[in-house]
Amino acid sequence: MKKYLVNLEGIGIPKYKKIAIHIKKLIDENKIKDGEKLPPIRKLAEELNVNNVTIVNAYNKLESEGYAVQKIGSGTYAKRKEVAINFKKKYSNVVRRISSEKLRNYIDFSGEAASSELFSVSSFKEVINKVLDRDGTEALVYQEALGYEGLRESIDKYFWRNSVDSDNILIVSGAQQGIDIVSKALINVNDNVVVEKPTYGGALTVFKWRRANVVEIELQEDGMDLDELEKVLKKNKIKCVYIMSYFQNPTGISYSSIKKRRLLNMAEIYDFYIIEDDYLSELIYNGDEYVSFKSMDTNDRVIYIKSFSKIFLPGIRLGYLISPHDFKENIQNSKVNTDIATSSLMQRVLDMYIKDGMWKGHIKKLNEIYRERYEFFRNALEALEEYVDFILPGGGLHFYVKIKEGLIDSMELFYQCEKDGVLITPGIIFYKNPKEGKEYFRLSFSQTDLYSIEKGLGIIKNIFKQCK
Amino acid sequence: MKKYLVNLEGIGIPKYKKIAIHIKKLIDENKIKDGEKLPPIRKLAEELNVNNVTIVNAYNKLESEGYAVQKIGSGTYAKRKEVAINFKKKYSNVVRRISSEKLRNYIDFSGEAASSELFSVSSFKEVINKVLDRDGTEALVYQEALGYEGLRESIDKYFWRNSVDSDNILIVSGAQQGIDIVSKALINVNDNVVVEKPTYGGALTVFKWRRANVVEIELQEDGMDLDELEKVLKKNKIKCVYIMSYFQNPTGISYSSIKKRRLLNMAEIYDFYIIEDDYLSELIYNGDEYVSFKSMDTNDRVIYIKSFSKIFLPGIRLGYLISPHDFKENIQNSKVNTDIATSSLMQRVLDMYIKDGMWKGHIKKLNEIYRERYEFFRNALEALEEYVDFILPGGGLHFYVKIKEGLIDSMELFYQCEKDGVLITPGIIFYKNPKEGKEYFRLSFSQTDLYSIEKGLGIIKNIFKQCK
């Protein structure tokens, strides 16, 4: 009962509201569990020294907001589903706070982009000054809507061996914007969109905004379950399939070449488009060759989205799209109406980075450092085999970990970790239905050195131990 | 008949398609007028040396794409309404091309932002280096979703005299993104959105994307026709009203304080929100005091959007929002899911600009230069009174000009101007129905010095003369 005690003094907010807010907080923070019975009305009224009707009002409010279910003759119970939805908010609030300077003393396994510490500010400064000296105000005015021509040409030359026309490349402000822009150009209300299950939460939100009908197809170890997809395709018109080709977020899974070929064939047969989100393909540790869907795309079925923020600098919002010929104009218009154009100066800086070979050097350095962390992390995770299972991604910046049955759910794990100064990403962020994914969590090593990896995993192990 | 001749050699595209494409181009470029009869089938077939059925197919294709109407027993006629829609595309293509380096020898009356030539690159360079020296990699990582705290505090302190909480400020990548983000957070399918008539085309597109029902309310010399608005409000639930408080785009109109107060009152009574797009309020030449809707907003009914790109540097995509308390969280989430966050480095640069007083100096300089251009332009325009009418905006960067009846429509004027090396913005860009606005065009002096103003208006005068 002690946890229900709440300060009811002061004017303004009515007492029943204060009580409801307090209980909501307890549920959000998992101090009241899903399905846990709330105290009987009379008992809580006594405890808090209020009228019964105040508690009735508080419980009614909780129910109306999806935080409780009242069962006639039995009492009122805390509700879990909405907890998960609220948890998503809570999670992003925590993670947002973390990125501010104040909270740097967490061990952060929630990162999504390469650490800025691995980036040389002095060489960045050199490049930016060179660009300003070379281009003057020209560097600071509007670009063509497509983006800076020099950068588009460099992308074509250095990343695609001149195989895509630079006119088909559109510079965007990061991959998230890429997904948003493609959605606006491609997806209408009630269109069917297929995603991997689980998938990147930011993409789910964008598709939801477009009021698309999102269909999740289970991931297997070599990519999406294409038999399952074909069943769906036979019954429904699908507009597009959103996939991450390498080191999928969150699972770390990459597509086999067989699945790549088959999915491309299916796109032609069933007339849909593939949105390929190239998330982290620069960081391959197991020697596999990098072959994108786009590079195999003979029928112009792939919309390729590349983020530079993940491996270059997250604060520099840059990425690009390659659009099929048919959507080129739509996608360009979509960009203009979204934010006119992407900042010009940084496009020129990145261009010079690529042309001067600094990009290549940076990627090489990232590969060396992260490969070491990856191996270290893998070994440390293997020492947790009593508690978790995981798949080896072979590249990228994270592991997707499955908690052994009955041990603890990952939201609860999140709260316990946060308390102990460790940040993880619970699986529920990556599913359409927030009831799913509770047995998974994602651990990223992008922001953690070997010492923090060891320490952080040690803390997690202790939490697991206590659960047993 | 000569204009119909088209090269039909080569394989690949069928002949009927080539003919249709050619005729579409003629219609787009106004070489075939709206309602003009296309040649009889047999005659054109003869002329082009093809079968009759090829022409039949070409005309069918034109009709299916909205470029022609077939009238039984009479023939096929070019269609105008679609011309206007296609014209919008054509216009934005021309304007986009212009912003690339190749086409700088136009006299550009289509600009929307202050000229970058008025900006000192050397002081910009100094600031950027100072920021990098001070902040190191910190300047290059993700910001909080809200944007760099320092900049938000500066905005509050220097632009709002500490009257808005910096936590209610959200940094965005320019005003266009601001409108997009607010729409996502606020507007649902079939919601009613009121705009000024005419209004900014980029806003119209965004509302259309959200599948809102857009209601245009006529502008008067002191702002929107509020009697008309009240009639609409009495019959319909309106979600929000999008307005530009000063030097409206395109009309140049500003709101009187009476109308400001009345609109704010109506927002409270009829429960809607005002999206205030602060477009160019820094450039007031007639001595009027600047009073935003937001500053008068006692009921938290105004979503304020400010662009820095118009007056600072268009290539630096920066702006900000102030959201009412109720929408704060929605709008923040909308930003995260649109592009995570705005580039961090430029936020720090702008912050230092403001704190060091360079912003104030820059605005002062812009005011001096543009006030001179404004007066010069006004006098030059008055010399055209035989052909046009216009309202004096008293500030900003453009005039909205009405062509005297029957002289020429502004699309045709656009084409003739373009041919003579002058760019104008025809009115149809600013109306929901592309049939409207043909008697208006916008002339901006942001990119033109006194010499080009004189020369450009001279060219336009000559075109008018020839029409008489």
Side-chain angles (χ1 to χ4, degrees):
Chain A
M1 271 312 263
K2 216 173 127 194
K3 63 186 173 193
Y4 287 94
L5 288 177
V6 50
N7 178 13
L8 295 174
E9 278 165 34
I11 48 163
I13 304 175
K15 283 179 185 168
Y16 82 94
K17 262 199 188 168
K18 281 187 184 163
I19 296 167
I21 289 168
H22 178 67
I23 294 178
K24 274 195 281 184
K25 201 165 156 262
L26 292 173
I27 298 173
D28 277 349
E29 291 170 358
N30 210 27
K31 285 169 190 161
I32 299 176
K33 302 267 182 312
D34 180 35
E36 183 175 325
K37 196 176 171 185
L38 301 181
I41 289 164
R42 235 174 318 166
K43 214 171 144 197
L44 187 55
E46 222 165 83
E47 192 77 18
L48 297 177
N49 200 16
V50 297
N51 293 329
N52 285 354
V53 73
T54 307
I55 305 298
V56 171
N57 286 339
Y59 282 5
N60 283 341
K61 189 173 166 55
L62 286 172
E63 186 170 40
S64 76
E65 293 181 16
Y67 272 90
V69 201
Q70 307 198 31
K71 292 180 188 165
I72 295 163
S74 161
T76 305
Y77 295 81
K79 203 171 150 193
R80 188 73 182 183
K81 190 192 158 202
E82 303 299 324
V83 175
I85 288 171
N86 283 290
F87 176 78
K88 284 194 184 187
K89 277 190 193 167
K90 160 91 182 161
Y91 171 77
S92 55
N93 284 340
V94 169
V95 172
R96 272 183 219 160
R97 259 197 306 133
I98 288 298
S99 67
S100 81
E101 290 152 47
K102 293 163 204 154
L103 283 146
R104 284 283 156 86
N105 35 5
Y106 276 90
I107 295 175
D108 184 6
F109 290 137
S110 76
E112 301 216 320
S115 170
S116 57
E117 282 162 29
L118 305 174
F119 190 80
S120 154
V121 180
S122 61
S123 61
F124 178 80
K125 226 175 95 177
E126 212 182 296
V127 172
I128 213 167
N129 280 297
K130 265 164 89 178
V131 167
L132 286 169
D133 290 339
R134 184 191 66 187
D135 300 342
T137 45
E138 195 59 49
L140 304 170
V141 296
Y142 275 118
Q143 298 303 324
E144 308 163 68
L146 284 179
Y148 175 53
E149 203 174 343
L151 177 59
R152 287 186 286 113
E153 282 164 4
S154 290
I155 288 168
D156 187 19
K157 183 173 169 194
Y158 293 94
F159 300 151
W160 294 93
R161 295 179 196 165
N162 292 313
S163 68
V164 295
D165 188 347
S166 70
D167 274 355
N168 291 329
I169 296 173
L170 172 76
I171 307 295
V172 292
S173 310
Q176 182 69 36
Q177 187 184 64
I179 299 168
D180 186 39
I181 283 175
V182 168
S183 297
K184 284 172 181 161
L186 197 66
I187 301 170
N188 290 313
V189 176
N190 292 328
D191 276 354
N192 292 312
V193 174
V194 168
V195 301
E196 296 157 329
K197 181 180 184 181
T199 192
Y200 169 52
L204 281 176
T205 308
V206 169
F207 299 142
K208 210 178 69 190
W209 267 341
R210 292 300 293 165
R211 308 203 162 247
N213 175 29
V214 175
V215 182
E216 291 171 300
I217 302 277
E218 209 74 47
L219 267 177
Q220 298 168 321
E221 289 202 18
D222 58 346
M224 190 181 269
D225 183 340
L226 296 186
D227 293 333
E228 211 46 57
L229 176 62
E230 193 142 27
K231 277 184 208 156
V232 172
L233 287 166
K234 278 181 174 154
K235 284 191 196 147
N236 307 277
K237 172 72 192 157
I238 299 292
K239 195 61 160 282
C240 56
V241 174
Y242 169 76
I243 54 109
M244 286 164 268
S245 34
Y246 281 80
F247 319 125
Q248 201 253 8
N249 183 13
T251 61
I253 279 169
S254 305
Y255 279 74
S256 64
S257 14
I258 293 171
K259 283 219 164 156
K260 277 182 211 158
R261 258 193 303 274
R262 187 167 163 210
L263 187 57
L264 284 163
N265 275 336
M266 286 162 86
E268 186 64 11
I269 295 166
Y270 294 100
D271 187 26
F272 62 84
Y273 287 86
I274 299 168
I275 304 176
E276 176 178 25
D277 186 348
D278 182 356
Y279 179 60
L280 276 177
S281 65
E282 287 79 4
L283 301 177
I284 301 181
Y285 314 133
N286 61 4
D288 280 1
E289 195 198 354
Y290 170 61
V291 186
S292 64
F293 277 87
K294 187 73 206 168
S295 68
M296 299 166 68
D297 177 29
T298 47
N299 295 314
D300 220 13
R301 285 284 169 189
V302 177
I303 300 163
Y304 175 89
I305 302 177
K306 176 72 203 164
S307 163
F308 288 122
S309 312
K310 301 283 182 299
I311 32 168
F312 191 51
L313 276 175
I316 306 304
R317 306 295 309 149
L318 273 182
Y320 68 93
L321 287 182
I322 305 175
S323 32
H325 186 77
D326 287 354
F327 288 111
K328 204 174 120 177
E329 208 176 301
N330 269 355
I331 285 177
Q332 266 180 51
N333 286 333
S334 172
K335 169 67 179 169
V336 172
N337 286 300
T338 296
D339 70 347
I340 314 282
T342 290
S343 271
S344 55
L345 178 59
M346 288 306 142
Q347 296 190 47
R348 289 166 195 257
V349 168
L350 177 58
D351 178 40
M352 195 176 276
Y353 239 84
I354 296 171
K355 284 198 175 108
D356 288 1
M358 294 163 83
W359 171 266
K360 227 173 156 176
H362 178 66
I363 296 299
K364 196 167 161 244
K365 183 175 157 198
L366 287 187
N367 263 284
E368 283 162 11
I369 290 165
Y370 281 119
R371 183 195 303 259
E372 190 194 4
R373 288 194 193 173
Y374 171 80
E375 293 297 346
F376 186 85
F377 208 110
R378 169 196 174 162
N379 289 328
L381 259 185
E382 275 165 1
L384 290 182
E385 61 177 354
E386 203 183 322
Y387 309 105
V388 299
D389 295 309
F390 64 95
I391 296 169
L392 265 189
L397 292 172
H398 63 265
F399 290 87
Y400 198 51
V401 179
K402 186 175 184 180
I403 307 165
K404 293 215 164 148
E405 218 183 312
L407 199 59
I408 184 174
D409 94 30
S410 61
M411 277 193 290
E412 212 166 311
L413 182 64
F414 170 83
Y415 285 116
Q416 297 211 25
C417 282
E418 195 206 351
K419 214 178 58 206
D420 294 345
V422 175
L423 285 178
I424 62 165
T425 309
I428 61 158
I429 307 292
F430 306 105
Y431 295 80
K432 203 173 112 183
N433 179 350
K435 275 187 181 164
E436 297 188 273
K438 281 190 280 191
E439 65 275 38
Y440 291 97
F441 62 105
R442 191 188 65 187
L443 291 173
S444 160
F445 47 93
S446 64
Q447 304 295 325
T448 46
D449 58 18
L450 303 190
Y451 170 77
S452 334
I453 291 171
E454 191 158 24
K455 195 175 162 201
L457 287 181
I459 289 168
I460 294 174
K461 192 177 180 173
N462 275 334
I463 295 170
F464 283 144
K465 256 191 200 161
Q466 285 161 16
C467 294
K468 269 230 156 163
Chain B
M1 272 311 264
K2 217 173 130 194
K3 63 186 173 191
Y4 287 94
L5 288 178
V6 50
N7 177 13
L8 295 174
E9 279 167 33
I11 48 165
I13 304 176
K15 282 178 184 169
Y16 84 93
K17 263 199 187 168
K18 282 186 182 165
I19 295 166
I21 289 168
H22 179 66
I23 293 177
K24 274 196 282 185
K25 200 165 157 263
L26 292 173
I27 297 173
D28 277 349
E29 292 171 356
N30 209 26
K31 284 168 190 161
I32 297 175
K33 302 266 182 315
D34 180 35
E36 184 175 325
K37 195 176 172 184
L38 300 181
I41 288 164
R42 231 174 319 165
K43 212 172 147 198
L44 185 55
E46 222 166 81
E47 191 78 19
L48 297 176
N49 199 17
V50 297
N51 292 330
N52 286 353
V53 72
T54 305
I55 304 299
V56 170
N57 286 338
Y59 282 6
N60 283 340
K61 188 173 166 56
L62 286 172
E63 186 169 38
S64 77
E65 294 181 15
Y67 271 91
V69 200
Q70 306 199 29
K71 293 181 187 165
I72 295 162
S74 162
T76 304
Y77 295 81
K79 203 172 150 191
R80 187 74 182 184
K81 189 192 159 206
E82 303 300 323
V83 175
I85 288 173
N86 283 291
F87 176 78
K88 285 196 184 186
K89 278 191 191 166
K90 159 90 181 162
Y91 172 76
S92 55
N93 284 338
V94 169
V95 172
R96 274 184 216 158
R97 258 197 305 132
I98 288 297
S99 66
S100 80
E101 291 154 46
K102 292 162 205 154
L103 284 146
R104 286 281 155 88
N105 34 5
Y106 275 90
I107 294 174
D108 185 4
F109 290 137
S110 76
E112 301 216 321
S115 171
S116 57
E117 281 161 29
L118 306 175
F119 190 80
S120 154
V121 180
S122 60
S123 61
F124 179 80
K125 226 175 95 177
E126 213 182 293
V127 173
I128 213 169
N129 281 297
K130 264 164 91 179
V131 167
L132 286 170
D133 290 341
R134 184 191 67 188
D135 300 343
T137 45
E138 196 60 48
L140 304 169
V141 297
Y142 274 117
Q143 298 302 325
E144 307 163 68
L146 284 180
Y148 175 53
E149 205 174 340
L151 177 58
R152 287 185 288 113
E153 282 163 6
S154 290
I155 288 168
D156 188 18
K157 183 172 169 194
Y158 294 93
F159 301 151
W160 295 92
R161 295 177 196 167
N162 292 313
S163 67
V164 296
D165 188 348
S166 70
D167 274 354
N168 291 330
I169 296 172
L170 172 76
I171 307 295
V172 292
S173 310
Q176 181 70 36
Q177 187 183 65
I179 300 168
D180 187 38
I181 283 175
V182 168
S183 297
K184 284 173 182 162
L186 196 67
I187 301 171
N188 289 313
V189 177
N190 292 328
D191 277 353
N192 293 313
V193 174
V194 167
V195 301
E196 297 156 329
K197 180 181 185 180
T199 191
Y200 169 52
L204 280 176
T205 308
V206 169
F207 299 142
K208 211 177 67 187
W209 267 341
R210 292 300 295 166
R211 306 202 163 250
N213 175 30
V214 176
V215 182
E216 293 169 299
I217 303 277
E218 209 75 46
L219 268 175
Q220 296 167 324
E221 288 201 18
D222 59 346
M224 191 181 268
D225 183 341
L226 297 186
D227 293 333
E228 210 45 59
L229 176 63
E230 193 142 27
K231 278 185 207 156
V232 172
L233 287 166
K234 278 182 173 154
K235 284 191 197 148
N236 307 277
K237 171 75 193 154
I238 298 292
K239 195 62 161 281
C240 56
V241 174
Y242 169 77
I243 54 108
M244 286 164 269
S245 34
Y246 281 80
F247 319 125
Q248 200 253 9
N249 183 14
T251 61
I253 279 169
S254 305
Y255 279 75
S256 64
S257 12
I258 293 171
K259 282 218 165 158
K260 277 182 211 159
R261 258 193 302 273
R262 184 167 166 209
L263 186 56
L264 284 163
N265 275 337
M266 286 162 86
E268 185 63 11
I269 295 166
Y270 294 100
D271 187 25
F272 62 84
Y273 288 85
I274 298 167
I275 304 175
E276 176 178 25
D277 186 348
D278 182 357
Y279 180 60
L280 276 177
S281 64
E282 287 80 3
L283 301 177
I284 301 181
Y285 313 134
N286 60 4
D288 279 2
E289 194 199 354
Y290 170 61
V291 185
S292 64
F293 278 87
K294 187 72 207 170
S295 68
M296 301 167 69
D297 176 28
T298 47
N299 294 314
D300 219 14
R301 285 283 167 189
V302 177
I303 301 163
Y304 174 89
I305 302 177
K306 177 72 204 164
S307 163
F308 288 123
S309 312
K310 302 285 182 296
I311 33 168
F312 191 52
L313 276 174
I316 307 303
R317 305 294 308 146
L318 273 183
Y320 69 93
L321 287 182
I322 305 174
S323 31
H325 186 77
D326 287 355
F327 288 111
K328 204 176 122 179
E329 206 175 303
N330 268 356
I331 285 177
Q332 266 180 52
N333 286 333
S334 172
K335 169 67 180 171
V336 172
N337 285 299
T338 296
D339 70 348
I340 314 282
T342 290
S343 272
S344 54
L345 179 58
M346 288 306 142
Q347 296 189 47
R348 289 165 194 260
V349 168
L350 177 59
D351 178 40
M352 194 176 277
Y353 240 83
I354 296 171
K355 285 197 173 109
D356 288 3
M358 295 164 85
W359 170 266
K360 228 174 156 177
H362 177 65
I363 296 299
K364 194 167 163 247
K365 185 175 157 197
L366 287 187
N367 264 285
E368 284 161 11
I369 291 167
Y370 281 119
R371 183 195 303 259
E372 188 193 7
R373 288 194 194 173
Y374 170 81
E375 293 297 345
F376 186 86
F377 207 110
R378 169 197 175 162
N379 288 329
L381 259 184
E382 276 166 359
L384 289 181
E385 61 177 355
E386 202 182 324
Y387 310 106
V388 299
D389 294 309
F390 64 96
I391 296 169
L392 264 191
L397 292 171
H398 61 266
F399 290 87
Y400 198 52
V401 179
K402 186 174 185 182
I403 307 166
K404 295 217 164 151
E405 218 183 312
L407 200 60
I408 184 174
D409 94 30
S410 63
M411 277 194 290
E412 212 165 311
L413 181 63
F414 170 82
Y415 286 116
Q416 294 209 27
C417 282
E418 194 206 352
K419 216 177 60 207
D420 294 344
V422 176
L423 285 178
I424 62 164
T425 308
I428 61 159
I429 306 292
F430 306 104
Y431 295 81
K432 205 173 111 181
N433 179 350
K435 273 186 181 164
E436 297 189 271
K438 281 189 282 191
E439 65 276 36
Y440 290 97
F441 62 106
R442 190 189 65 188
L443 291 173
S444 159
F445 46 93
S446 65
Q447 304 295 325
T448 45
D449 58 17
L450 303 189
Y451 171 77
S452 334
I453 291 172
E454 188 157 27
K455 197 175 159 200
L457 287 182
I459 290 169
I460 293 174
K461 190 175 183 175
N462 275 333
I463 295 170
F464 283 143
K465 256 192 198 161
Q466 284 161 18
C467 294
K468 271 230 155 164

